[in-house]
Amino acid sequence: MAEKSVGTVGTVGTEESDATRGTNGTEERERERWDDGLIARRAAARTTPEEPAAGDAEDAASASEDARGFGGSYGGGLRSRLDALHELVGLSRTRVESDALAEAGRVLDEAAARQRLSSRHTVVALAGATGSGKSTLFNALAGVAVSETGLRRPTTSAPLALTWSEGAAGLLDRLGVPGRLRRRPLAGGAADADLAPLVLIDLPDHDSAVTAHRDQVDRALGLVDAVIWVVDPEKYADAALHERYLRPLAGHAEVTFVVLNQVDRLGAEAAELVLDDLRRLLDEDGMALGEHGEPGATVLPVSALTGEGVPELRELLARFVQERTAPERRIAADIDAAAARLRPAYVADGRPGLGERSREEFAGRLAVAVGAQAAGEAAERVWRRGAIRACGSPWLRLHRWYGRKRRHGSTDPHLAVPAEDELTARQRVEQAVRIVADEASRGLPAPWALAVREAATRGAEGLPEALDELAAGLGDPAARPPRPAWWPAAVLAQALMTLLQLFGALWLIGQIAGVVEPGLLPPVLIMLGGIVGGPLIEWACASAVQGPARRYGQEAERKLAEAAAACGRARVLDPVSAELLRYREVREQYAKVAGPRPSPRIVGTGPRGSGARLGATRSGARLR
């Protein structure tokens, strides 16, 4: 660990760093360009406009291969989840706070950016704390010292890239790795051929005292396809590591490796105990462990200094990158994290919505507010009163008129409506809207419940006035009630009874005056017939009018209630239903976003009995 060396040797060519070139002038720096397959070749200076630069040709070749394989589009399951997330964000912009959608937008942007780049390569980052031996492990995997190691802290100040094949320039540009920090390993035969898809990034220390270093780590961890966390026996339980990185990234377990470095400083029993404790901490962080064939993070011990466990790690990495599924798994994990953060904004308790009962009760409250029942009863009374007036005995009508005059001091049967009635009707309308909004929003997530209430409130503005205009437009059903066909006959019969009474009375007067021959019985019988017949006809008419009057009143009430319900539905229920429909749409999209994950990764567990499985059986049994 104390040895300090910087190597830049690769199979394609040997390059020297900017610090060792000397000061030979601009011309020499132009001649000496990095020939590591990641930036433009020397031939770029001689390239004609018709000829693409070498680096561009590599990216074009990679894009061509992407079109034939995974690259042009993601797998069907992931593609549908991304489409659903895009649709979800579009439907939610005016309903959900922008902060809650920011992470979803970042996932979509990064997924689109990653899709346009090479799918042949898998970007794996080496991350760790100061003194964990991260750079030493980086050199061990490269087979040559390409990263500076030493006692000075922090040692790594900028991301350093190691690639085993061409065509990863776009990926490294996205990570912000400059050309002078891009390296190629020494030739390693078949082992290096298996690592051809690997792009390994040595990150600065995540606990560096330099803020810029920590910012570089945070940015890179959001862009790489997988990460290898290098911990040492002293800092493997560091709270900063677990609380800031491992716990928030627990859902990315399938693209996570946790390497316990420097096991050469521990005995076999001590190493087993430390690995057990490390697994326990990861389990507490919520990170699934990929043991016994289960998907999850890989935990293994290595010693970058002595080489113990390094071949196993290279083998695991080779199998991991050969699958070419890490980018998809990483994006799927990002979608899972975004879905978990958005869950409170889309998942409701119970079954929210407007049932038929709620709609009927709302219509009933509006009918009461508009006075539909009172209007129907008034129409029924007017109908009956009209029949009694038309067919009633004139003497009884005169008696009732006198009684009304004494009670009210007025002959007008329509009493003035108190001024408080209008205010009461407005309050009833507001109460009906408030109740239906509460019922519709009950159980909805907060953003959508607020949207439903706002839609109901907007619809309630001007609703009392609209109901008043509606009632005025329908007219007063009590103003001119229709008359049945039998009314003229009843009126004629009542008039006949009145004439009989008058005729009998005149006959008696004539007898008293001596004008007519005396005979008391005939005029008395005629008068009694008229006096008894008049009330009988009035009673018969009142009985006959009960059914038609009731139907007329019910019809008037129904028309006014239906008109009020239609007005309330157009102004309140339809906007509320539109918001509920929008919520159902986004809920369906959210269900797709939080849908099934890709098939689990099988590699990464290592063969039973290998160095990667040190203490796995005992710790796995204890944790599960």
PDB file of all heavy atoms in Angstrom, residues 395-424:
ATOM      1  N   TRP A 395    -120.997  30.171  -1.271  1.00  0.00           N
ATOM      2  CA  TRP A 395    -121.085  30.591   0.130  1.00  0.00           C
ATOM      3  C   TRP A 395    -119.870  30.130   0.930  1.00  0.00           C
ATOM      4  O   TRP A 395    -119.346  30.899   1.759  1.00  0.00           O
ATOM      5  CB  TRP A 395    -122.387  30.047   0.749  1.00  0.00           C
ATOM      6  CG  TRP A 395    -123.536  30.124  -0.204  1.00  0.00           C
ATOM      7  CD1 TRP A 395    -124.259  29.095  -0.709  1.00  0.00           C
ATOM      8  CD2 TRP A 395    -124.086  31.299  -0.760  1.00  0.00           C
ATOM      9  NE1 TRP A 395    -125.228  29.516  -1.552  1.00  0.00           N
ATOM     10  CE2 TRP A 395    -125.145  30.912  -1.607  1.00  0.00           C
ATOM     11  CE3 TRP A 395    -123.802  32.680  -0.664  1.00  0.00           C
ATOM     12  CZ2 TRP A 395    -125.919  31.812  -2.330  1.00  0.00           C
ATOM     13  CZ3 TRP A 395    -124.586  33.566  -1.372  1.00  0.00           C
ATOM     14  CH2 TRP A 395    -125.615  33.145  -2.196  1.00  0.00           C
ATOM     15  N   LEU A 396    -119.408  28.903   0.670  1.00  0.00           N
ATOM     16  CA  LEU A 396    -118.194  28.424   1.353  1.00  0.00           C
ATOM     17  C   LEU A 396    -116.960  29.200   0.885  1.00  0.00           C
ATOM     18  O   LEU A 396    -116.056  29.484   1.675  1.00  0.00           O
ATOM     19  CB  LEU A 396    -118.002  26.926   1.103  1.00  0.00           C
ATOM     20  CG  LEU A 396    -119.057  25.996   1.733  1.00  0.00           C
ATOM     21  CD1 LEU A 396    -118.785  24.549   1.353  1.00  0.00           C
ATOM     22  CD2 LEU A 396    -119.050  26.171   3.251  1.00  0.00           C
ATOM     23  N   ARG A 397    -116.915  29.524  -0.370  1.00  0.00           N
ATOM     24  CA  ARG A 397    -115.780  30.311  -0.876  1.00  0.00           C
ATOM     25  C   ARG A 397    -115.743  31.681  -0.222  1.00  0.00           C
ATOM     26  O   ARG A 397    -114.664  32.197   0.128  1.00  0.00           O
ATOM     27  CB  ARG A 397    -115.882  30.457  -2.385  1.00  0.00           C
ATOM     28  CG  ARG A 397    -115.609  29.142  -3.119  1.00  0.00           C
ATOM     29  CD  ARG A 397    -116.071  29.189  -4.557  1.00  0.00           C
ATOM     30  NE  ARG A 397    -115.438  30.287  -5.290  1.00  0.00           N
ATOM     31  CZ  ARG A 397    -115.780  30.629  -6.546  1.00  0.00           C
ATOM     32  NH1 ARG A 397    -116.755  29.963  -7.148  1.00  0.00           N
ATOM     33  NH2 ARG A 397    -115.166  31.617  -7.142  1.00  0.00           N
ATOM     34  N   LEU A 398    -116.940  32.274  -0.047  1.00  0.00           N
ATOM     35  CA  LEU A 398    -116.996  33.574   0.615  1.00  0.00           C
ATOM     36  C   LEU A 398    -116.542  33.449   2.062  1.00  0.00           C
ATOM     37  O   LEU A 398    -115.805  34.315   2.581  1.00  0.00           O
ATOM     38  CB  LEU A 398    -118.424  34.117   0.559  1.00  0.00           C
ATOM     39  CG  LEU A 398    -118.671  35.498   1.189  1.00  0.00           C
ATOM     40  CD1 LEU A 398    -117.829  36.549   0.460  1.00  0.00           C
ATOM     41  CD2 LEU A 398    -120.161  35.860   1.156  1.00  0.00           C
ATOM     42  N   HIS A 399    -116.910  32.367   2.714  1.00  0.00           N
ATOM     43  CA  HIS A 399    -116.504  32.155   4.106  1.00  0.00           C
ATOM     44  C   HIS A 399    -114.976  31.980   4.208  1.00  0.00           C
ATOM     45  O   HIS A 399    -114.334  32.544   5.104  1.00  0.00           O
ATOM     46  CB  HIS A 399    -117.231  30.931   4.662  1.00  0.00           C
ATOM     47  CG  HIS A 399    -116.791  30.554   6.041  1.00  0.00           C
ATOM     48  ND1 HIS A 399    -117.097  31.298   7.171  1.00  0.00           N
ATOM     49  CD2 HIS A 399    -116.023  29.496   6.485  1.00  0.00           C
ATOM     50  CE1 HIS A 399    -116.557  30.740   8.225  1.00  0.00           C
ATOM     51  NE2 HIS A 399    -115.912  29.638   7.835  1.00  0.00           N
ATOM     52  N   ARG A 400    -114.393  31.229   3.311  1.00  0.00           N
ATOM     53  CA  ARG A 400    -112.925  31.025   3.352  1.00  0.00           C
ATOM     54  C   ARG A 400    -112.182  32.340   3.072  1.00  0.00           C
ATOM     55  O   ARG A 400    -111.138  32.619   3.654  1.00  0.00           O
ATOM     56  CB  ARG A 400    -112.527  29.958   2.325  1.00  0.00           C
ATOM     57  CG  ARG A 400    -113.092  28.567   2.638  1.00  0.00           C
ATOM     58  CD  ARG A 400    -112.468  27.532   1.708  1.00  0.00           C
ATOM     59  NE  ARG A 400    -113.120  26.235   1.875  1.00  0.00           N
ATOM     60  CZ  ARG A 400    -114.066  25.763   1.045  1.00  0.00           C
ATOM     61  NH1 ARG A 400    -114.441  26.485   0.003  1.00  0.00           N
ATOM     62  NH2 ARG A 400    -114.605  24.586   1.262  1.00  0.00           N
ATOM     63  N   TRP A 401    -112.725  33.130   2.145  1.00  0.00           N
ATOM     64  CA  TRP A 401    -112.077  34.421   1.834  1.00  0.00           C
ATOM     65  C   TRP A 401    -112.059  35.318   3.058  1.00  0.00           C
ATOM     66  O   TRP A 401    -111.052  35.949   3.360  1.00  0.00           O
ATOM     67  CB  TRP A 401    -112.841  35.084   0.700  1.00  0.00           C
ATOM     68  CG  TRP A 401    -112.397  36.509   0.458  1.00  0.00           C
ATOM     69  CD1 TRP A 401    -111.323  36.934  -0.249  1.00  0.00           C
ATOM     70  CD2 TRP A 401    -113.028  37.686   0.965  1.00  0.00           C
ATOM     71  NE1 TRP A 401    -111.229  38.298  -0.248  1.00  0.00           N
ATOM     72  CE2 TRP A 401    -112.276  38.794   0.501  1.00  0.00           C
ATOM     73  CE3 TRP A 401    -114.177  37.912   1.756  1.00  0.00           C
ATOM     74  CZ2 TRP A 401    -112.631  40.096   0.819  1.00  0.00           C
ATOM     75  CZ3 TRP A 401    -114.510  39.220   2.045  1.00  0.00           C
ATOM     76  CH2 TRP A 401    -113.742  40.297   1.594  1.00  0.00           C
ATOM     77  N   TYR A 402    -113.134  35.333   3.770  1.00  0.00           N
ATOM     78  CA  TYR A 402    -113.207  36.156   4.972  1.00  0.00           C
ATOM     79  C   TYR A 402    -112.249  35.637   6.044  1.00  0.00           C
ATOM     80  O   TYR A 402    -111.586  36.418   6.740  1.00  0.00           O
ATOM     81  CB  TYR A 402    -114.651  36.157   5.501  1.00  0.00           C
ATOM     82  CG  TYR A 402    -114.828  36.997   6.754  1.00  0.00           C
ATOM     83  CD1 TYR A 402    -114.800  38.384   6.689  1.00  0.00           C
ATOM     84  CD2 TYR A 402    -115.002  36.378   7.995  1.00  0.00           C
ATOM     85  CE1 TYR A 402    -114.947  39.152   7.833  1.00  0.00           C
ATOM     86  CE2 TYR A 402    -115.149  37.146   9.143  1.00  0.00           C
ATOM     87  CZ  TYR A 402    -115.118  38.530   9.061  1.00  0.00           C
ATOM     88  OH  TYR A 402    -115.258  39.287  10.200  1.00  0.00           O
ATOM     89  N   GLY A 403    -112.117  34.302   6.169  1.00  0.00           N
ATOM     90  CA  GLY A 403    -111.171  33.742   7.146  1.00  0.00           C
ATOM     91  C   GLY A 403    -109.723  34.095   6.814  1.00  0.00           C
ATOM     92  O   GLY A 403    -108.921  34.406   7.702  1.00  0.00           O
ATOM     93  N   ARG A 404    -109.373  34.032   5.551  1.00  0.00           N
ATOM     94  CA  ARG A 404    -108.002  34.393   5.155  1.00  0.00           C
ATOM     95  C   ARG A 404    -107.733  35.865   5.421  1.00  0.00           C
ATOM     96  O   ARG A 404    -106.645  36.246   5.861  1.00  0.00           O
ATOM     97  CB  ARG A 404    -107.765  34.086   3.670  1.00  0.00           C
ATOM     98  CG  ARG A 404    -107.651  32.617   3.365  1.00  0.00           C
ATOM     99  CD  ARG A 404    -107.058  32.414   1.964  1.00  0.00           C
ATOM    100  NE  ARG A 404    -107.846  33.093   0.952  1.00  0.00           N
ATOM    101  CZ  ARG A 404    -108.836  32.542   0.277  1.00  0.00           C
ATOM    102  NH1 ARG A 404    -109.190  31.285   0.553  1.00  0.00           N
ATOM    103  NH2 ARG A 404    -109.506  33.222  -0.639  1.00  0.00           N
ATOM    104  N   LYS A 405    -108.698  36.687   5.182  1.00  0.00           N
ATOM    105  CA  LYS A 405    -108.510  38.117   5.397  1.00  0.00           C
ATOM    106  C   LYS A 405    -108.279  38.411   6.867  1.00  0.00           C
ATOM    107  O   LYS A 405    -107.459  39.268   7.224  1.00  0.00           O
ATOM    108  CB  LYS A 405    -109.728  38.862   4.860  1.00  0.00           C
ATOM    109  CG  LYS A 405    -109.589  40.372   4.932  1.00  0.00           C
ATOM    110  CD  LYS A 405    -110.789  41.057   4.310  1.00  0.00           C
ATOM    111  CE  LYS A 405    -110.611  42.574   4.392  1.00  0.00           C
ATOM    112  NZ  LYS A 405    -111.788  43.296   3.810  1.00  0.00           N
ATOM    113  N   ARG A 406    -108.982  37.732   7.724  1.00  0.00           N
ATOM    114  CA  ARG A 406    -108.811  37.956   9.150  1.00  0.00           C
ATOM    115  C   ARG A 406    -107.449  37.441   9.636  1.00  0.00           C
ATOM    116  O   ARG A 406    -106.830  38.038  10.517  1.00  0.00           O
ATOM    117  CB  ARG A 406    -109.931  37.264   9.928  1.00  0.00           C
ATOM    118  CG  ARG A 406    -111.282  37.898   9.729  1.00  0.00           C
ATOM    119  CD  ARG A 406    -112.277  37.307  10.679  1.00  0.00           C
ATOM    120  NE  ARG A 406    -111.862  37.554  12.060  1.00  0.00           N
ATOM    121  CZ  ARG A 406    -112.535  37.098  13.144  1.00  0.00           C
ATOM    122  NH1 ARG A 406    -113.624  36.382  12.962  1.00  0.00           N
ATOM    123  NH2 ARG A 406    -112.092  37.365  14.348  1.00  0.00           N
ATOM    124  N   ARG A 407    -106.986  36.313   9.074  1.00  0.00           N
ATOM    125  CA  ARG A 407    -105.707  35.738   9.534  1.00  0.00           C
ATOM    126  C   ARG A 407    -104.506  36.534   9.036  1.00  0.00           C
ATOM    127  O   ARG A 407    -103.532  36.756   9.752  1.00  0.00           O
ATOM    128  CB  ARG A 407    -105.584  34.278   9.068  1.00  0.00           C
ATOM    129  CG  ARG A 407    -106.452  33.319   9.865  1.00  0.00           C
ATOM    130  CD  ARG A 407    -106.019  31.876   9.596  1.00  0.00           C
ATOM    131  NE  ARG A 407    -106.042  31.546   8.186  1.00  0.00           N
ATOM    132  CZ  ARG A 407    -107.100  31.017   7.559  1.00  0.00           C
ATOM    133  NH1 ARG A 407    -108.214  30.796   8.244  1.00  0.00           N
ATOM    134  NH2 ARG A 407    -107.035  30.721   6.285  1.00  0.00           N
ATOM    135  N   HIS A 408    -104.490  36.920   7.825  1.00  0.00           N
ATOM    136  CA  HIS A 408    -103.305  37.530   7.211  1.00  0.00           C
ATOM    137  C   HIS A 408    -103.452  39.013   6.955  1.00  0.00           C
ATOM    138  O   HIS A 408    -102.467  39.679   6.641  1.00  0.00           O
ATOM    139  CB  HIS A 408    -102.974  36.838   5.876  1.00  0.00           C
ATOM    140  CG  HIS A 408    -102.803  35.358   6.027  1.00  0.00           C
ATOM    141  ND1 HIS A 408    -101.764  34.794   6.719  1.00  0.00           N
ATOM    142  CD2 HIS A 408    -103.568  34.328   5.569  1.00  0.00           C
ATOM    143  CE1 HIS A 408    -101.873  33.472   6.684  1.00  0.00           C
ATOM    144  NE2 HIS A 408    -102.967  33.170   5.992  1.00  0.00           N
ATOM    145  N   GLY A 409    -104.614  39.506   7.022  1.00  0.00           N
ATOM    146  CA  GLY A 409    -104.814  40.916   6.738  1.00  0.00           C
ATOM    147  C   GLY A 409    -104.629  41.244   5.289  1.00  0.00           C
ATOM    148  O   GLY A 409    -104.389  42.398   4.924  1.00  0.00           O
ATOM    149  N   SER A 410    -104.689  40.253   4.432  1.00  0.00           N
ATOM    150  CA  SER A 410    -104.477  40.480   3.009  1.00  0.00           C
ATOM    151  C   SER A 410    -105.248  39.440   2.239  1.00  0.00           C
ATOM    152  O   SER A 410    -105.442  38.304   2.704  1.00  0.00           O
ATOM    153  CB  SER A 410    -103.001  40.408   2.652  1.00  0.00           C
ATOM    154  OG  SER A 410    -102.828  40.480   1.255  1.00  0.00           O
ATOM    155  N   THR A 411    -105.633  39.783   1.063  1.00  0.00           N
ATOM    156  CA  THR A 411    -106.341  38.838   0.190  1.00  0.00           C
ATOM    157  C   THR A 411    -105.396  38.074  -0.715  1.00  0.00           C
ATOM    158  O   THR A 411    -105.824  37.200  -1.452  1.00  0.00           O
ATOM    159  CB  THR A 411    -107.359  39.591  -0.678  1.00  0.00           C
ATOM    160  OG1 THR A 411    -106.675  40.581  -1.440  1.00  0.00           O
ATOM    161  CG2 THR A 411    -108.408  40.258   0.192  1.00  0.00           C
ATOM    162  N   ASP A 412    -104.087  38.400  -0.696  1.00  0.00           N
ATOM    163  CA  ASP A 412    -103.108  37.741  -1.567  1.00  0.00           C
ATOM    164  C   ASP A 412    -102.745  36.389  -0.967  1.00  0.00           C
ATOM    165  O   ASP A 412    -102.200  36.309   0.130  1.00  0.00           O
ATOM    166  CB  ASP A 412    -101.852  38.594  -1.725  1.00  0.00           C
ATOM    167  CG  ASP A 412    -100.886  38.010  -2.748  1.00  0.00           C
ATOM    168  OD1 ASP A 412    -101.250  37.008  -3.415  1.00  0.00           O
ATOM    169  OD2 ASP A 412     -99.773  38.555  -2.875  1.00  0.00           O
ATOM    170  N   PRO A 413    -103.027  35.289  -1.655  1.00  0.00           N
ATOM    171  CA  PRO A 413    -102.695  33.972  -1.089  1.00  0.00           C
ATOM    172  C   PRO A 413    -101.213  33.675  -1.084  1.00  0.00           C
ATOM    173  O   PRO A 413    -100.752  32.815  -0.365  1.00  0.00           O
ATOM    174  CB  PRO A 413    -103.455  33.001  -2.007  1.00  0.00           C
ATOM    175  CG  PRO A 413    -103.550  33.726  -3.314  1.00  0.00           C
ATOM    176  CD  PRO A 413    -103.668  35.182  -2.968  1.00  0.00           C
ATOM    177  N   HIS A 414    -100.414  34.358  -1.917  1.00  0.00           N
ATOM    178  CA  HIS A 414     -98.975  34.123  -1.990  1.00  0.00           C
ATOM    179  C   HIS A 414     -98.274  35.066  -1.020  1.00  0.00           C
ATOM    180  O   HIS A 414     -98.203  36.272  -1.257  1.00  0.00           O
ATOM    181  CB  HIS A 414     -98.441  34.358  -3.411  1.00  0.00           C
ATOM    182  CG  HIS A 414     -99.076  33.441  -4.420  1.00  0.00           C
ATOM    183  ND1 HIS A 414     -98.770  32.117  -4.526  1.00  0.00           N
ATOM    184  CD2 HIS A 414    -100.047  33.696  -5.347  1.00  0.00           C
ATOM    185  CE1 HIS A 414     -99.491  31.564  -5.497  1.00  0.00           C
ATOM    186  NE2 HIS A 414    -100.279  32.500  -6.010  1.00  0.00           N
ATOM    187  N   LEU A 415     -97.814  34.553   0.071  1.00  0.00           N
ATOM    188  CA  LEU A 415     -97.131  35.369   1.066  1.00  0.00           C
ATOM    189  C   LEU A 415     -95.731  35.721   0.584  1.00  0.00           C
ATOM    190  O   LEU A 415     -95.125  34.985  -0.201  1.00  0.00           O
ATOM    191  CB  LEU A 415     -97.049  34.608   2.391  1.00  0.00           C
ATOM    192  CG  LEU A 415     -98.407  34.210   2.992  1.00  0.00           C
ATOM    193  CD1 LEU A 415     -98.176  33.473   4.297  1.00  0.00           C
ATOM    194  CD2 LEU A 415     -99.277  35.440   3.214  1.00  0.00           C
ATOM    195  N   ALA A 416     -95.191  36.818   1.048  1.00  0.00           N
ATOM    196  CA  ALA A 416     -93.845  37.237   0.654  1.00  0.00           C
ATOM    197  C   ALA A 416     -92.809  36.244   1.183  1.00  0.00           C
ATOM    198  O   ALA A 416     -92.901  35.764   2.309  1.00  0.00           O
ATOM    199  CB  ALA A 416     -93.560  38.631   1.201  1.00  0.00           C
ATOM    200  N   VAL A 417     -91.821  35.938   0.355  1.00  0.00           N
ATOM    201  CA  VAL A 417     -90.774  35.003   0.755  1.00  0.00           C
ATOM    202  C   VAL A 417     -89.763  35.743   1.608  1.00  0.00           C
ATOM    203  O   VAL A 417     -89.275  36.808   1.208  1.00  0.00           O
ATOM    204  CB  VAL A 417     -90.086  34.400  -0.486  1.00  0.00           C
ATOM    205  CG1 VAL A 417     -88.973  33.447  -0.065  1.00  0.00           C
ATOM    206  CG2 VAL A 417     -91.102  33.695  -1.353  1.00  0.00           C
ATOM    207  N   PRO A 418     -89.428  35.216   2.781  1.00  0.00           N
ATOM    208  CA  PRO A 418     -88.438  35.896   3.625  1.00  0.00           C
ATOM    209  C   PRO A 418     -87.109  36.027   2.907  1.00  0.00           C
ATOM    210  O   PRO A 418     -86.724  35.192   2.085  1.00  0.00           O
ATOM    211  CB  PRO A 418     -88.333  34.977   4.852  1.00  0.00           C
ATOM    212  CG  PRO A 418     -89.593  34.169   4.843  1.00  0.00           C
ATOM    213  CD  PRO A 418     -89.980  34.021   3.415  1.00  0.00           C
ATOM    214  N   ALA A 419     -86.375  37.097   3.241  1.00  0.00           N
ATOM    215  CA  ALA A 419     -85.080  37.340   2.595  1.00  0.00           C
ATOM    216  C   ALA A 419     -84.066  36.283   2.969  1.00  0.00           C
ATOM    217  O   ALA A 419     -83.106  36.055   2.248  1.00  0.00           O
ATOM    218  CB  ALA A 419     -84.575  38.726   2.984  1.00  0.00           C
ATOM    219  N   GLU A 420     -84.267  35.604   4.117  1.00  0.00           N
ATOM    220  CA  GLU A 420     -83.289  34.617   4.558  1.00  0.00           C
ATOM    221  C   GLU A 420     -83.313  33.367   3.697  1.00  0.00           C
ATOM    222  O   GLU A 420     -82.371  32.584   3.709  1.00  0.00           O
ATOM    223  CB  GLU A 420     -83.553  34.224   6.018  1.00  0.00           C
ATOM    224  CG  GLU A 420     -83.323  35.331   7.023  1.00  0.00           C
ATOM    225  CD  GLU A 420     -84.509  36.286   7.080  1.00  0.00           C
ATOM    226  OE1 GLU A 420     -85.522  35.968   6.420  1.00  0.00           O
ATOM    227  OE2 GLU A 420     -84.415  37.313   7.765  1.00  0.00           O
ATOM    228  N   ASP A 421     -84.407  33.124   2.927  1.00  0.00           N
ATOM    229  CA  ASP A 421     -84.512  31.902   2.156  1.00  0.00           C
ATOM    230  C   ASP A 421     -83.410  31.814   1.103  1.00  0.00           C
ATOM    231  O   ASP A 421     -82.859  30.750   0.845  1.00  0.00           O
ATOM    232  CB  ASP A 421     -85.882  31.814   1.487  1.00  0.00           C
ATOM    233  CG  ASP A 421     -86.965  31.425   2.492  1.00  0.00           C
ATOM    234  OD1 ASP A 421     -86.597  31.179   3.673  1.00  0.00           O
ATOM    235  OD2 ASP A 421     -88.135  31.377   2.109  1.00  0.00           O
ATOM    236  N   GLU A 422     -83.070  32.922   0.439  1.00  0.00           N
ATOM    237  CA  GLU A 422     -82.031  32.911  -0.589  1.00  0.00           C
ATOM    238  C   GLU A 422     -80.684  32.534   0.016  1.00  0.00           C
ATOM    239  O   GLU A 422     -79.949  31.742  -0.546  1.00  0.00           O
ATOM    240  CB  GLU A 422     -81.969  34.279  -1.264  1.00  0.00           C
ATOM    241  CG  GLU A 422     -80.945  34.334  -2.392  1.00  0.00           C
ATOM    242  CD  GLU A 422     -80.914  35.681  -3.066  1.00  0.00           C
ATOM    243  OE1 GLU A 422     -81.716  36.554  -2.679  1.00  0.00           O
ATOM    244  OE2 GLU A 422     -80.072  35.859  -3.966  1.00  0.00           O
ATOM    245  N   LEU A 423     -80.383  33.102   1.159  1.00  0.00           N
ATOM    246  CA  LEU A 423     -79.124  32.769   1.830  1.00  0.00           C
ATOM    247  C   LEU A 423     -79.101  31.308   2.244  1.00  0.00           C
ATOM    248  O   LEU A 423     -78.109  30.617   2.097  1.00  0.00           O
ATOM    249  CB  LEU A 423     -78.927  33.679   3.049  1.00  0.00           C
ATOM    250  CG  LEU A 423     -77.651  33.458   3.854  1.00  0.00           C
ATOM    251  CD1 LEU A 423     -76.430  33.711   2.991  1.00  0.00           C
ATOM    252  CD2 LEU A 423     -77.642  34.358   5.085  1.00  0.00           C
ATOM    253  N   THR A 424     -80.228  30.813   2.743  1.00  0.00           N
ATOM    254  CA  THR A 424     -80.305  29.411   3.139  1.00  0.00           C
ATOM    255  C   THR A 424     -80.101  28.502   1.931  1.00  0.00           C
ATOM    256  O   THR A 424     -79.402  27.477   2.016  1.00  0.00           O
ATOM    257  CB  THR A 424     -81.664  29.133   3.796  1.00  0.00           C
ATOM    258  OG1 THR A 424     -81.824  29.988   4.914  1.00  0.00           O
ATOM    259  CG2 THR A 424     -81.774  27.703   4.236  1.00  0.00           C
TER     260      THR A 424
END
